[in-house]
Amino acid sequence: MFKSICLGLLALVPLVSAHYTFPALVVNGTRTADWVNVRMTNNHYDNNPVTDVKSIDLRCYNSQNLAPATTINVRAGTQLGISTGSGTIYHAGVVNVYMAKAPSDVSSWDGSGSVWFKVHEIGPVTNGGSSISWPTTTMDTVTFTLPQSLPNGQYLVRMEAIALHAAESYGGAQFYISCGQINVTGGGSGNPGPKVAIPGVYTGNEPGILLNIYYPIPATYTQPGPAVWRG
């Protein structure tokens, strides 16, 4: 009996380890503690993804853990990183990073409405249908530069890794999400956009979300979501 239980648990290890969370920020080269500056997600224990693009969990994936995080200061024009709990992003897929400016204290804000703009994305490398590769699979941290013209204030920073290994049918794409809280200083007078609502930004039928990445090999790839705002 004990042997059977152990074998059953071992069978689950590859499944869990193939999934991931994004519990930490990297500010000024220093990784913050887990779930301090990032809101704890529903999958903080089981690592399971969101698959329903219409779910409220597509926003910050924290419907079961509503306690806010601590907000950390980050200067505009500097690099900000978002890090996995352990290991790399692993699954073939893409990354989008969104931000949304809170009207006041970000700790008590839910991010509702058409307030989200994209600041970073990482897609695949295609070769006209002969090959496709996924740079994110070797990453444990996604790093980008906060635009210098980003206005000062408190923001949610939303990490979205979309795993596409089972995306050939509707609902097969897996979304791994978290939201950090930052206070931007030293910013400018930019006007970030275009802005979208989350959920609402995706239907699930986008060519970058509903596709077979294995056969035929995609000749091109269309990143889902709005264009990146670069300030």
Side-chain angles (χ1 to χ4, degrees):
M1 180 66 177
F2 178 75
K3 183 178 180 180
S4 298
I5 293 173
C6 289
L7 289 173
L9 291 173
L10 286 173
L12 293 175
V13 170
L15 177 64
V16 173
S17 63
H19 295 176
Y20 24 84
T21 59
F22 296 94
L25 300 180
V26 179
V27 179
N28 296 323
T30 300
R31 188 186 192 278
T32 67
D34 289 357
W35 311 121
V36 173
N37 303 116
V38 176
R39 296 179 177 183
M40 183 176 285
T41 53
N42 296 357
N43 69 336
H44 72 280
Y45 179 74
D46 59 30
N47 292 0
N48 287 333
V50 176
T51 56
D52 180 3
V53 297
K54 299 177 183 178
S55 169
I56 191 66
D57 279 325
L58 191 72
R59 187 180 299 155
C60 288
Y61 204 3
N62 67 328
S63 61
Q64 297 173 13
N65 302 284
L66 296 178
T70 299
T71 304
I72 189 169
N73 291 332
V74 185
R75 190 170 182 83
T78 61
Q79 287 194 327
L80 177 66
I82 307 169
S83 185
T84 64
S86 62
T88 66
I89 294 177
Y90 184 86
H91 283 311
V94 300
V95 159
N96 294 310
V97 181
Y98 291 83
M99 293 182 65
K101 190 174 189 293
S104 54
D105 181 6
V106 70
S107 296
S108 57
W109 188 52
D110 65 358
S112 58
S114 296
V115 293
W116 296 90
F117 56 96
K118 191 191 290 186
V119 290
H120 188 58
E121 64 184 20
I122 305 173
V125 177
T126 59
N127 190 19
S130 61
S131 67
I132 187 168
S133 60
W134 307 92
T136 58
T137 59
T138 61
M139 297 179 182
D140 60 12
T141 301
V142 172
T143 303
F144 66 99
T145 300
L146 286 174
Q148 184 63 65
S149 60
L150 185 67
N152 291 343
Q154 297 192 8
Y155 290 82
L156 289 173
V157 182
R158 177 182 174 273
M159 172 66 180
E160 173 187 273
I162 310 176
L164 299 171
H165 58 289
E168 67 275 6
S169 59
Y170 186 86
Q174 299 177 356
F175 293 78
Y176 297 90
I177 298 160
S178 72
C179 287
Q181 295 179 188
I182 68 170
N183 178 53
V184 173
T185 63
S189 57
N191 184 25
K195 292 177 180 174
V196 297
I198 302 175
V201 61
Y202 307 134
T203 67
N205 290 304
E206 288 80 4
I209 293 177
L210 180 59
L211 77 162
N212 188 324
I213 64 173
Y214 301 109
Y215 185 84
I217 296 173
T220 61
Y221 179 82
T222 303
Q223 192 85 6
V228 173
W229 181 74
R230 303 186 189 280

